Amino acid sequence: GAVVSQHPSRVICKSGTSVKIECRSLDFQATTMFWYRQFPKQSLMLMATSNEGSKATYEQGVEKDKFLINHASLTLSTLTVTSAHPEDSSFYICSASLPRGMNEQYFGPGTRLTVT
Amino acid sequence: GQQVMQIPQYQHVQEGEDFTTYCNSSTTLSNIQWYKQRPGGHPVFLIQLVKSGEVKKQKRLTFQFGEAKKNSSLHITATQTTDVGTYFCAGRVIYNQGGKLIFGQGTELSVKP
């Protein structure tokens, strides 16, 4: 149980375009999902916390207008990188917490974004 | 801001040797979690510690949470090649309106057969 999927797994886009990444909890309802960014050989950097039906809470230094997060249902959160630039190239990972408590997080497989 | 420091950054061991990674927080944590990320994979939850001084074991892995709930360690006895990966600690800090999980930088373990 507690499986989280992400789509797409890899995406290459041109500078200036927008890219949407989906995160789905497949077998449970996730009231809270998290979006992370991970650089090579580095730790996970929390970008934002996404709560179903409300606005996402962004971490300090993360541009809200650039990284749009929508948590429209209990099983789906989306991250849209708007007007992407090469420096946005990274590995984006989502995770979801089970509703019974903010305990362990289940991570999706990640999305490798490359902006050319 | 709150930080969770993890050492060492890299550890190379011979198969059969023991391995320990340490995690230290500048702030008291409500709980601490440990994750393992295999090369090319995503983090996988290992365990959560909540109580001061708590010790938990999973086969060859021993997890400890410090008395002050500011530090933690993961010890692997007699490493195997399957233990290869990066081990992250993640401490939960509680704010007035919620909490945040702060990840350490991770310790990359390589095991030489």
Side-chain angles (χ1 to χ4, degrees), chain B residues 38-52:
Chain B
R38 292 182 181 275
H42 59 278
V44 173
F45 174 79
L46 293 177
I47 207 162
Q48 175 175 280
L49 304 171
V50 180
K51 299 178 183 177
S52 169

Side-chain angles (χ1 to χ4, degrees), chain A residues 34 36 38 41-44 46 49 59 91 93 97 102-110, chain B residues 9-10 31 33 35 37 41-45 48 88 92 99-101 103-106 108:
Chain A
F34 305 87
Y36 294 86
Q38 187 175 34
K41 303 266 185 194
Q42 293 190 28
S43 187
L44 296 136
L46 179 64
T49 302
E59 294 300 304
F91 194 53
I93 310 178
S97 289
M102 295 182 70
N103 296 319
E104 64 266 27
Q105 294 184 18
Y106 296 91
F107 284 84
Chain B
Q9 187 175 0
Y10 302 98
N31 64 52
Q33 301 171 11
Y35 293 81
Q37 186 174 21
H42 59 278
V44 173
F45 174 79
Q48 175 175 280
F88 292 98
R92 180 164 297 284
K100 185 166 77 171
L101 201 61
F103 279 79
Q105 300 93 319
E108 184 178 340

Side-chain angles (χ1 to χ4, degrees), chain B residues 26-94:
Chain B
S26 58
T27 309
T28 302
L29 304 169
S30 63
N31 64 52
I32 195 154
Q33 301 171 11
W34 285 91
Y35 293 81
K36 178 183 179 181
Q37 186 174 21
R38 292 182 181 275
H42 59 278
V44 173
F45 174 79
L46 293 177
I47 207 162
Q48 175 175 280
L49 304 171
V50 180
K51 299 178 183 177
S52 169
E54 189 170 13
V55 177
K56 286 188 176 180
K57 291 191 175 185
Q58 288 181 351
K59 297 183 180 179
R60 294 179 294 104
L61 277 62
T62 302
F63 303 84
Q64 290 187 325
F65 200 9
E67 294 289 341
K69 299 183 75 172
K70 285 188 173 183
N71 55 71
S72 181
S73 65
L74 158 59
H75 179 82
I76 302 179
T77 304
T79 56
Q80 300 175 359
T81 54
T82 53
D83 295 326
V84 165
T86 300
Y87 293 84
F88 292 98
C89 64
R92 180 164 297 284
V93 179
I94 299 296

Side-chain angles (χ1 to χ4, degrees), chain A residues 19-80:
Chain A
V19 175
K20 180 184 283 188
I21 302 170
E22 292 186 349
C23 177
R24 293 181 185 273
S25 55
L26 298 184
D27 52 359
F28 66 101
Q29 293 183 332
T31 52
T32 304
M33 288 184 171
F34 305 87
W35 286 95
Y36 294 86
R37 189 170 174 176
Q38 187 175 34
F39 293 97
K41 303 266 185 194
Q42 293 190 28
S43 187
L44 296 136
M45 184 194 79
L46 179 64
M47 298 174 66
T49 302
S50 168
N51 295 297
E52 187 267 336
S54 64
K55 290 184 179 180
T57 302
Y58 289 81
E59 294 300 304
Q60 192 172 10
V62 178
E63 297 176 60
K64 301 178 182 181
D65 295 332
K66 180 166 186 62
F67 298 100
L68 301 178
I69 291 174
N70 185 296
H71 195 153
S73 76
L74 287 171
T75 60
L76 172 65
S77 177
T78 60
L79 167 68
T80 302

